[in-house]
Amino acid sequence: MAQYVMVSTRKGLFEVKKRSKGWEIASADFLGDNVTLSLHDPRDGATYAALNHGHFGIKLHRRDRGGKWQEIACPKYPAKPEGLNDLDGWGKPVDWSTQLIWALETGGRDEPGMLWAGTMPGGLFRSRDRGDSWDLIRSLWDMPDRNKWLGGGADIPGIHSICVDPRSSKTVRVAVSCGGVWTTHDGGKSWEQNAHGMHFDQGPEGVADNPHTQDPHMMVQCAAKPDRFWVQHHCGIYRSADNARSWQEVKASPSSFGFGVVVHPKDPDTAWFVPGIKDEKRIPVAGALVVTRTRDGGKSFKALKKGLPQQHAYDVVFRHGLALDRTGKRLAMGSTTGNLWVSENQGDSWSKVSSTLPQVYAVRWA
Amino acid sequence: MAKVFFTSNLRRHVDCATAEAEGATVGEVLARIFATQERLGFYVLDEQGRLRKHMMVLIDGGRVKDRDKLTDPVAASSEIYVMQALSGG
């Protein structure tokens, strides 16, 4: 089946397909509603959409192959134990309530129906029945180190990246803003910190390099070489070649600051980023939007700009706003100013699909 | 029995006809209605049973005071309006 792009925006979910004239918006669902993330499950053809209604809370919908959207269960936190002084790293009380579904991934190929969801305020949830019910992973939530986690771009901590290891579905790594990288090798029974080597630019020794408070903005794993990872961190770009046990920083031009990262499914040395001015401004350098690509594991980066606006462009691409298809050739990118582009040549050139979409939160290939 | 009206904006997402239920507090009244309409309940209250941040409940024209436990008393003749606050859009 031809691939298409699902675009989650502040005012609906759009499907973008290739037609005779090029890439076009083929359909719109949940128009007017705040769709924050979507997921296509290639194992059974189902599609999922996470919504964040301003008044009515977080909701999750599923569309089975050939079917219609239906609301399904939402990850919910259990009752907070009476008297528990549960504080985050800033010392603020943690509200046991789902504020955002910030990550949504399928389980392994050997786990039909299993889904993972990362949320704010930091809970990881698992469904074994295609989202009809969810369980909070208590081993991670009840871990004392969770109380070291901090809010990053948002006021509260959250899990935005989930990597299910293709070698063993029992191995799952999650990245937390701001709580580093956590790995389980036993299907969520126990966890270890894996953000060693990351650091903040400023701060006293012991704080700047504390793995428990690192802010990886996005983490991805190479499907064919799963010991290789990339992270777009708040303070730069990191790579790991040893299953996330250690991380090394690499530098990109025009900037190493950004939110999203994607890695080629077969070539772990090839990855893409969307740079911006660090850190308070968060706009493209010199008003020119570029995508940076490395093909040599971060030794060098090329700024790709053909087809992207190079004057007075103030697009920000959120962490889920850049996506690569399963062939490793097609990229899709959506921005905060409602621009959407597709590249069919690994970013060498880009075609604008729309400049009038609502604010784009996430793009995904289906 | 207290009478409960729901904002029409909820109907786009979930069935919510005007309903009547018994209860000494607004929480008890809503709990009886949500016991058979669980999905509606999760649009109005969060998983801890608290009124959602940007929702509003009026009891006989007065704003609910206890948003977390919904202990505000109601009478058998009370009219309860479940509405959106103007924040949160």
Side-chain angles (χ1 to χ4, degrees):
Chain A
M1 195 177 89
Q3 288 188 278
Y4 63 95
V5 187
M6 298 186 297
V7 187
S8 301
T9 80
R10 180 69 180 80
K11 294 292 180 182
L13 176 67
F14 300 87
E15 288 185 0
V16 171
K17 296 180 177 175
K18 192 171 189 181
R19 300 266 169 80
S20 56
K21 291 179 183 173
W23 293 88
E24 296 178 359
I25 297 170
S27 64
D29 292 304
F30 307 108
L31 264 183
D33 292 330
N34 187 12
V35 182
T36 55
L37 194 60
S38 70
L39 170 71
H40 175 75
D41 188 343
R43 301 170 303 178
D44 59 16
T47 303
Y48 298 83
L51 276 66
N52 183 7
H53 294 294
H55 298 87
F56 309 132
I58 308 299
K59 306 288 182 265
L60 197 57
H61 295 252
R62 183 182 70 223
R63 184 182 63 193
D64 293 329
R65 191 199 304 267
K68 292 181 178 178
W69 288 106
Q70 60 173 322
E71 189 176 331
I72 56 174
C74 181
K76 294 178 186 173
Y77 285 77
K80 189 174 182 176
E82 201 74 34
L84 178 68
N85 189 28
D86 187 28
L87 306 176
D88 69 13
W90 295 122
K92 294 186 292 186
V94 177
D95 188 1
W96 288 35
S97 175
T98 304
Q99 305 294 312
L100 185 71
I101 295 174
W102 212 11
L104 199 54
E105 300 291 344
T106 64
R109 289 181 185 174
D110 58 334
E111 300 172 320
M114 185 181 286
L115 304 173
W116 293 93
T119 68
M120 289 183 190
L124 178 68
F125 290 82
R126 176 168 53 200
S127 172
R128 298 182 186 277
D129 53 11
R130 307 167 72 242
D132 288 334
S133 65
W134 293 89
D135 292 315
L136 175 65
I137 304 298
R138 293 300 300 243
S139 54
L140 188 63
W141 183 247
D142 294 336
M143 185 180 63
D145 283 335
R146 200 250 308 160
N147 295 103
K148 298 173 182 168
W149 296 2
L150 309 166
D155 290 345
I156 55 176
I159 295 174
H160 47 67
S161 302
I162 301 170
C163 298
V164 178
D165 199 300
R167 296 164 293 192
S168 167
S169 303
K170 301 272 187 218
T171 295
V172 179
R173 294 173 180 84
V174 301
V176 187
S177 287
C178 306
V181 174
W182 290 89
T183 302
T184 178
H185 294 292
D186 52 17
K189 294 192 182 85
S190 62
W191 297 84
E192 64 183 33
Q193 174 62 262
N194 272 164
H196 301 280
M198 298 181 193
H199 61 87
F200 286 100
D201 291 344
Q202 300 178 39
E205 198 175 332
V207 173
D209 57 356
N210 181 354
H212 293 305
T213 52
Q214 292 302 310
D215 186 10
H217 283 176
M218 185 77 186
M219 178 176 72
V220 291
Q221 181 177 22
C222 179
K225 301 281 185 186
D227 53 342
R228 300 282 301 274
F229 287 80
W230 289 91
V231 156
Q232 172 66 67
H233 182 279
H234 187 93
C235 290
I237 294 170
Y238 286 86
R239 46 164 286 169
S240 173
D242 59 2
N243 294 295
R245 288 196 186 89
S246 69
W247 296 87
Q248 297 79 43
E249 186 178 9
V250 299
K251 299 285 188 184
S253 178
S255 166
S256 297
F257 179 82
F259 295 97
V261 51
V262 292
V263 60
H264 193 280
K266 293 179 181 166
D267 176 8
D269 288 331
T270 298
W272 293 260
F273 303 81
V274 188
I277 299 175
K278 181 182 183 314
D279 133 10
E280 302 300 337
K281 291 189 175 180
R282 305 184 177 199
I283 52 175
V285 178
L289 181 64
V290 302
V291 171
T292 51
R293 180 184 65 203
T294 180
R295 291 193 186 281
D296 53 15
K299 295 188 185 77
S300 65
F301 286 83
K302 184 177 183 180
L304 309 167
K305 56 189 177 184
K306 191 175 179 184
L308 299 177
Q310 297 303 296
Q311 288 185 317
H312 286 291
Y314 304 110
D315 300 76
V316 175
V317 175
F318 286 149
R319 69 199 71 212
H320 300 119
L322 175 70
L324 181 68
D325 79 347
R326 59 177 178 262
T327 70
K329 291 179 180 170
R330 287 171 167 171
L331 289 148
M333 180 169 70
S335 79
T336 51
T337 49
N339 284 310
L340 179 73
W341 299 272
V342 170
S343 171
E344 299 192 71
N345 52 18
Q346 298 194 319
D348 286 339
S349 63
W350 297 81
S351 300
K352 185 170 73 180
V353 179
S354 176
S355 59
T356 56
L357 282 170
Q359 184 178 46
V360 176
Y361 291 131
V363 295
R364 288 197 114 150
W365 290 91
Chain B
M1 286 196 290
K3 199 167 189 180
V4 183
F5 303 86
F6 294 95
T7 170
S8 60
N9 292 322
L10 266 168
R11 286 188 203 128
R12 193 159 67 83
H13 306 289
V14 60
D15 290 336
C16 52
T18 299
E20 289 184 312
E22 291 182 347
T25 66
V26 64
E28 290 177 12
V29 171
L30 291 177
R32 284 205 167 85
I33 294 170
F34 295 155
T36 55
Q37 299 182 74
E38 190 180 344
R39 203 159 76 82
L40 171 61
F42 192 54
Y43 275 74
V44 178
L45 310 178
D46 69 12
E47 62 260 64
Q48 306 299 337
R50 303 168 300 193
L51 190 60
R52 290 194 177 277
K53 182 179 177 184
H54 299 297
M55 293 298 284
M56 175 56 63
V57 168
L58 299 177
I59 306 165
D60 298 324
R63 192 157 43 88
V64 67
K65 293 185 178 66
D66 182 358
R67 297 178 57 90
D68 288 348
K69 294 193 163 69
L70 301 170
T71 56
D72 296 44
V74 295
S77 59
S78 284
E79 291 191 339
I80 298 167
Y81 279 81
V82 177
M83 307 171 66
Q84 293 156 286
L86 291 181
S87 57

CSV table of all heavy atoms in Angstrom, one decimal, chain A residues 4-17 19 24-33 35 47 49 51 63 68-69 340 354 356-358, chain B residues 12:
chain,number,residue,atom,x,y,z
A,4,TYR,N,1.4,7.1,3.4
A,4,TYR,CA,0.9,8.4,3.5
A,4,TYR,C,1.4,9.0,4.8
A,4,TYR,O,1.9,8.3,5.7
A,4,TYR,CB,-0.6,8.4,3.4
A,4,TYR,CG,-1.4,7.7,4.4
A,4,TYR,CD1,-1.9,8.3,5.6
A,4,TYR,CD2,-1.6,6.3,4.3
A,4,TYR,CE1,-2.6,7.6,6.5
A,4,TYR,CE2,-2.3,5.6,5.3
A,4,TYR,CZ,-2.8,6.2,6.4
A,4,TYR,OH,-3.5,5.5,7.3
A,5,VAL,N,1.1,10.3,5.0
A,5,VAL,CA,1.6,11.0,6.2
A,5,VAL,C,0.3,11.4,7.1
A,5,VAL,O,-0.6,11.9,6.5
A,5,VAL,CB,2.3,12.3,5.8
A,5,VAL,CG1,2.9,12.9,7.1
A,5,VAL,CG2,3.4,12.0,4.8
A,6,MET,N,0.4,11.1,8.3
A,6,MET,CA,-0.6,11.6,9.3
A,6,MET,C,0.0,12.8,10.0
A,6,MET,O,1.1,12.8,10.5
A,6,MET,CB,-0.9,10.5,10.3
A,6,MET,CG,-1.5,9.2,9.7
A,6,MET,SD,-2.0,8.0,10.9
A,6,MET,CE,-0.5,7.7,11.7
A,7,VAL,N,-0.8,13.9,10.0
A,7,VAL,CA,-0.3,15.2,10.5
A,7,VAL,C,-1.2,15.6,11.7
A,7,VAL,O,-2.4,15.9,11.5
A,7,VAL,CB,-0.3,16.3,9.4
A,7,VAL,CG1,0.3,17.5,9.9
A,7,VAL,CG2,0.4,15.8,8.1
A,8,SER,N,-0.7,15.6,12.8
A,8,SER,CA,-1.4,15.9,14.0
A,8,SER,C,-1.3,17.4,14.3
A,8,SER,O,-0.1,17.9,14.4
A,8,SER,CB,-0.9,15.1,15.3
A,8,SER,OG,-1.0,13.8,15.1
A,9,THR,N,-2.4,18.1,14.4
A,9,THR,CA,-2.3,19.6,14.5
A,9,THR,C,-3.2,20.1,15.7
A,9,THR,O,-4.1,19.3,16.2
A,9,THR,CB,-2.7,20.3,13.2
A,9,THR,OG1,-4.2,20.3,13.1
A,9,THR,CG2,-2.1,19.6,12.0
A,10,ARG,N,-3.1,21.3,15.9
A,10,ARG,CA,-3.9,22.0,17.0
A,10,ARG,C,-5.4,21.9,16.7
A,10,ARG,O,-6.2,22.1,17.5
A,10,ARG,CB,-3.4,23.4,17.1
A,10,ARG,CG,-4.2,24.3,18.1
A,10,ARG,CD,-3.8,23.8,19.5
A,10,ARG,NE,-4.5,24.6,20.5
A,10,ARG,CZ,-5.8,24.5,20.9
A,10,ARG,NH1,-6.5,23.5,20.3
A,10,ARG,NH2,-6.3,25.2,21.8
A,11,LYS,N,-5.7,21.7,15.4
A,11,LYS,CA,-7.1,21.8,15.0
A,11,LYS,C,-7.5,20.6,14.1
A,11,LYS,O,-8.4,20.7,13.2
A,11,LYS,CB,-7.4,23.1,14.2
A,11,LYS,CG,-7.3,24.3,15.1
A,11,LYS,CD,-8.4,24.4,16.1
A,11,LYS,CE,-8.2,25.7,17.0
A,11,LYS,NZ,-9.3,25.7,18.0
A,12,GLY,N,-6.9,19.4,14.3
A,12,GLY,CA,-7.3,18.3,13.6
A,12,GLY,C,-6.2,17.4,13.1
A,12,GLY,O,-5.0,17.7,13.2
A,13,LEU,N,-6.6,16.2,12.6
A,13,LEU,CA,-5.7,15.2,12.1
A,13,LEU,C,-5.9,15.1,10.6
A,13,LEU,O,-7.0,14.9,10.1
A,13,LEU,CB,-6.0,13.8,12.7
A,13,LEU,CG,-5.1,12.7,12.2
A,13,LEU,CD1,-3.7,12.8,12.6
A,13,LEU,CD2,-5.7,11.3,12.7
A,14,PHE,N,-4.8,15.3,9.8
A,14,PHE,CA,-4.9,15.4,8.4
A,14,PHE,C,-4.1,14.2,7.8
A,14,PHE,O,-3.0,13.9,8.3
A,14,PHE,CB,-4.3,16.7,7.9
A,14,PHE,CG,-5.1,17.9,8.4
A,14,PHE,CD1,-4.7,18.5,9.6
A,14,PHE,CD2,-6.2,18.4,7.7
A,14,PHE,CE1,-5.4,19.6,10.1
A,14,PHE,CE2,-6.9,19.5,8.2
A,14,PHE,CZ,-6.5,20.1,9.4
A,15,GLU,N,-4.6,13.7,6.7
A,15,GLU,CA,-3.8,12.6,6.0
A,15,GLU,C,-3.4,13.2,4.7
A,15,GLU,O,-4.2,13.8,4.0
A,15,GLU,CB,-4.7,11.4,5.8
A,15,GLU,CG,-5.0,10.6,7.1
A,15,GLU,CD,-5.7,9.3,6.9
A,15,GLU,OE1,-6.1,9.0,5.7
A,15,GLU,OE2,-5.9,8.6,7.9
A,16,VAL,N,-2.1,13.0,4.4
A,16,VAL,CA,-1.5,13.6,3.2
A,16,VAL,C,-1.0,12.5,2.3
A,16,VAL,O,-0.3,11.6,2.8
A,16,VAL,CB,-0.3,14.5,3.6
A,16,VAL,CG1,0.5,14.9,2.4
A,16,VAL,CG2,-0.8,15.7,4.4
A,17,LYS,N,-1.5,12.4,1.1
A,17,LYS,CA,-1.2,11.4,0.2
A,17,LYS,C,-0.7,11.9,-1.1
A,17,LYS,O,-0.9,13.0,-1.5
A,17,LYS,CB,-2.5,10.5,-0.1
A,17,LYS,CG,-3.0,9.8,1.2
A,17,LYS,CD,-4.3,9.0,0.9
A,17,LYS,CE,-4.7,8.3,2.2
A,17,LYS,NZ,-6.0,7.6,2.1
A,19,ARG,N,-0.8,12.2,-4.9
A,19,ARG,CA,-1.7,12.1,-6.0
A,19,ARG,C,-0.9,12.5,-7.3
A,19,ARG,O,0.3,12.7,-7.2
A,19,ARG,CB,-2.9,13.1,-5.8
A,19,ARG,CG,-3.7,12.8,-4.5
A,19,ARG,CD,-4.9,11.9,-4.8
A,19,ARG,NE,-5.5,11.4,-3.7
A,19,ARG,CZ,-6.4,12.1,-2.9
A,19,ARG,NH1,-6.7,13.3,-3.1
A,19,ARG,NH2,-7.0,11.5,-1.9
A,24,GLU,N,-0.9,15.9,-1.4
A,24,GLU,CA,-2.1,16.7,-1.1
A,24,GLU,C,-2.7,16.2,0.2
A,24,GLU,O,-2.6,15.1,0.6
A,24,GLU,CB,-3.1,16.5,-2.2
A,24,GLU,CG,-2.7,17.1,-3.6
A,24,GLU,CD,-3.7,16.8,-4.7
A,24,GLU,OE1,-4.8,16.3,-4.3
A,24,GLU,OE2,-3.5,17.2,-5.8
A,25,ILE,N,-3.4,17.1,0.8
A,25,ILE,CA,-4.2,16.8,2.0
A,25,ILE,C,-5.4,16.0,1.5
A,25,ILE,O,-6.3,16.5,0.7
A,25,ILE,CB,-4.7,18.0,2.7
A,25,ILE,CG1,-3.4,18.7,3.3
A,25,ILE,CG2,-5.6,17.7,3.9
A,25,ILE,CD1,-3.7,20.1,3.9
A,26,ALA,N,-5.5,14.7,1.9
A,26,ALA,CA,-6.6,13.8,1.3
A,26,ALA,C,-7.8,13.8,2.2
A,26,ALA,O,-8.9,13.5,1.8
A,26,ALA,CB,-6.0,12.4,1.1
A,27,SER,N,-7.6,14.0,3.5
A,27,SER,CA,-8.7,13.9,4.5
A,27,SER,C,-8.4,14.7,5.7
A,27,SER,O,-7.2,14.9,6.1
A,27,SER,CB,-9.1,12.5,4.8
A,27,SER,OG,-8.0,11.8,5.5
A,28,ALA,N,-9.4,15.0,6.5
A,28,ALA,CA,-9.3,15.7,7.8
A,28,ALA,C,-10.2,15.1,8.8
A,28,ALA,O,-11.4,14.9,8.5
A,28,ALA,CB,-9.6,17.2,7.6
A,29,ASP,N,-9.7,14.7,9.9
A,29,ASP,CA,-10.6,14.1,11.0
A,29,ASP,C,-10.4,15.0,12.2
A,29,ASP,O,-9.4,15.7,12.4
A,29,ASP,CB,-10.1,12.7,11.3
A,29,ASP,CG,-10.5,11.8,10.1
A,29,ASP,OD1,-11.7,11.7,9.7
A,29,ASP,OD2,-9.6,11.1,9.6
A,30,PHE,N,-11.3,14.9,13.1
A,30,PHE,CA,-11.3,15.7,14.4
A,30,PHE,C,-11.2,17.2,14.1
A,30,PHE,O,-10.5,17.9,14.9
A,30,PHE,CB,-10.2,15.1,15.3
A,30,PHE,CG,-10.2,13.7,15.5
A,30,PHE,CD1,-9.3,12.8,15.0
A,30,PHE,CD2,-11.2,13.1,16.3
A,30,PHE,CE1,-9.3,11.5,15.2
A,30,PHE,CE2,-11.2,11.7,16.5
A,30,PHE,CZ,-10.3,10.9,16.0
A,31,LEU,N,-11.8,17.7,13.1
A,31,LEU,CA,-11.6,19.1,12.8
A,31,LEU,C,-12.0,20.0,13.9
A,31,LEU,O,-13.1,19.8,14.5
A,31,LEU,CB,-12.4,19.5,11.5
A,31,LEU,CG,-11.6,19.4,10.2
A,31,LEU,CD1,-12.5,19.9,9.0
A,31,LEU,CD2,-10.3,20.2,10.2
A,32,GLY,N,-11.1,20.9,14.3
A,32,GLY,CA,-11.4,21.8,15.4
A,32,GLY,C,-10.8,21.3,16.7
A,32,GLY,O,-10.8,22.1,17.7
A,33,ASP,N,-10.5,20.0,16.8
A,33,ASP,CA,-10.0,19.5,18.0
A,33,ASP,C,-8.5,19.4,18.0
A,33,ASP,O,-7.8,19.3,16.9
A,33,ASP,CB,-10.6,18.1,18.2
A,33,ASP,CG,-12.1,18.1,18.5
A,33,ASP,OD1,-12.5,19.2,19.1
A,33,ASP,OD2,-12.8,17.2,18.2
A,35,VAL,N,-5.3,17.6,18.2
A,35,VAL,CA,-4.8,16.3,18.0
A,35,VAL,C,-3.3,16.4,18.3
A,35,VAL,O,-2.6,17.1,17.5
A,35,VAL,CB,-5.1,15.7,16.7
A,35,VAL,CG1,-4.5,14.3,16.5
A,35,VAL,CG2,-6.6,15.7,16.4
A,47,THR,N,-5.1,2.5,13.3
A,47,THR,CA,-4.5,3.9,13.5
A,47,THR,C,-5.0,4.5,14.8
A,47,THR,O,-6.2,4.3,15.2
A,47,THR,CB,-4.9,4.8,12.3
A,47,THR,OG1,-4.5,4.1,11.1
A,47,THR,CG2,-4.3,6.1,12.4
A,49,ALA,N,-5.2,8.0,17.5
A,49,ALA,CA,-5.0,9.5,17.6
A,49,ALA,C,-5.2,9.9,19.0
A,49,ALA,O,-6.2,9.5,19.7
A,49,ALA,CB,-6.1,10.2,16.7
A,51,LEU,N,-5.9,12.9,21.6
A,51,LEU,CA,-6.4,14.3,21.6
A,51,LEU,C,-6.3,14.9,23.0
A,51,LEU,O,-6.2,14.2,24.0
A,51,LEU,CB,-7.9,14.2,21.3
A,51,LEU,CG,-8.3,14.2,19.8
A,51,LEU,CD1,-7.9,12.9,19.1
A,51,LEU,CD2,-9.8,14.4,19.6
A,63,ARG,N,-8.9,3.8,15.0
A,63,ARG,CA,-9.6,3.4,13.7
A,63,ARG,C,-9.0,2.1,13.2
A,63,ARG,O,-7.9,2.1,12.8
A,63,ARG,CB,-9.4,4.5,12.7
A,63,ARG,CG,-10.2,4.3,11.4
A,63,ARG,CD,-10.0,5.4,10.4
A,63,ARG,NE,-8.6,5.4,10.0
A,63,ARG,CZ,-8.1,6.4,9.3
A,63,ARG,NH1,-8.8,7.5,9.0
A,63,ARG,NH2,-6.8,6.4,8.9
A,68,LYS,N,-14.2,3.0,11.3
A,68,LYS,CA,-14.3,4.4,11.7
A,68,LYS,C,-13.6,4.7,13.0
A,68,LYS,O,-13.4,3.7,13.8
A,68,LYS,CB,-15.8,4.7,11.8
A,68,LYS,CG,-16.6,4.7,10.5
A,68,LYS,CD,-18.0,5.1,10.7
A,68,LYS,CE,-18.8,5.1,9.3
A,68,LYS,NZ,-20.2,5.4,9.5
A,69,TRP,N,-13.4,5.9,13.3
A,69,TRP,CA,-12.8,6.3,14.6
A,69,TRP,C,-13.7,6.0,15.7
A,69,TRP,O,-14.9,6.2,15.6
A,69,TRP,CB,-12.5,7.8,14.6
A,69,TRP,CG,-11.3,8.2,13.7
A,69,TRP,CD1,-11.4,8.8,12.5
A,69,TRP,CD2,-9.9,7.9,14.0
A,69,TRP,NE1,-10.1,9.0,12.0
A,69,TRP,CE2,-9.2,8.5,12.9
A,69,TRP,CE3,-9.2,7.3,15.0
A,69,TRP,CZ2,-7.8,8.4,12.8
A,69,TRP,CZ3,-7.8,7.3,14.9
A,69,TRP,CH2,-7.2,7.8,13.8
A,340,LEU,N,3.9,22.4,6.0
A,340,LEU,CA,4.2,21.0,5.9
A,340,LEU,C,4.9,20.7,4.6
A,340,LEU,O,4.5,21.2,3.5
A,340,LEU,CB,2.8,20.2,5.8
A,340,LEU,CG,3.0,18.7,5.7
A,340,LEU,CD1,3.5,18.1,7.0
A,340,LEU,CD2,1.7,18.1,5.3
A,354,SER,N,1.5,22.3,2.2
A,354,SER,CA,0.6,23.3,2.7
A,354,SER,C,1.3,24.4,3.5
A,354,SER,O,2.3,24.0,4.2
A,354,SER,CB,-0.5,22.7,3.5
A,354,SER,OG,-1.4,23.7,4.1
A,356,THR,N,-0.9,26.5,5.2
A,356,THR,CA,-2.0,27.0,6.0
A,356,THR,C,-2.6,26.1,6.9
A,356,THR,O,-3.8,26.2,7.4
A,356,THR,CB,-3.1,27.5,5.0
A,356,THR,OG1,-3.5,26.3,4.1
A,356,THR,CG2,-2.7,28.6,4.1
A,357,LEU,N,-1.9,25.1,7.3
A,357,LEU,CA,-2.4,24.1,8.3
A,357,LEU,C,-2.4,24.8,9.7
A,357,LEU,O,-1.7,25.8,9.9
A,357,LEU,CB,-1.5,22.9,8.3
A,357,LEU,CG,-1.7,21.9,7.2
A,357,LEU,CD1,-0.6,20.8,7.3
A,357,LEU,CD2,-3.1,21.2,7.4
A,358,PRO,N,-3.1,24.2,10.6
A,358,PRO,CA,-2.9,24.7,12.0
A,358,PRO,C,-1.5,24.3,12.5
A,358,PRO,O,-0.8,23.6,11.9
A,358,PRO,CB,-4.0,23.9,12.8
A,358,PRO,CG,-5.0,23.4,11.7
A,358,PRO,CD,-4.2,23.2,10.5
B,12,ARG,N,-21.0,16.9,21.1
B,12,ARG,CA,-20.2,16.5,20.0
B,12,ARG,C,-19.4,15.3,20.2
B,12,ARG,O,-18.9,14.6,19.3
B,12,ARG,CB,-19.3,17.7,19.6
B,12,ARG,CG,-18.7,17.7,18.3
B,12,ARG,CD,-18.3,19.0,17.8
B,12,ARG,NE,-17.2,19.7,18.6
B,12,ARG,CZ,-15.9,19.4,18.4
B,12,ARG,NH1,-15.6,18.6,17.5
B,12,ARG,NH2,-15.0,20.0,19.1
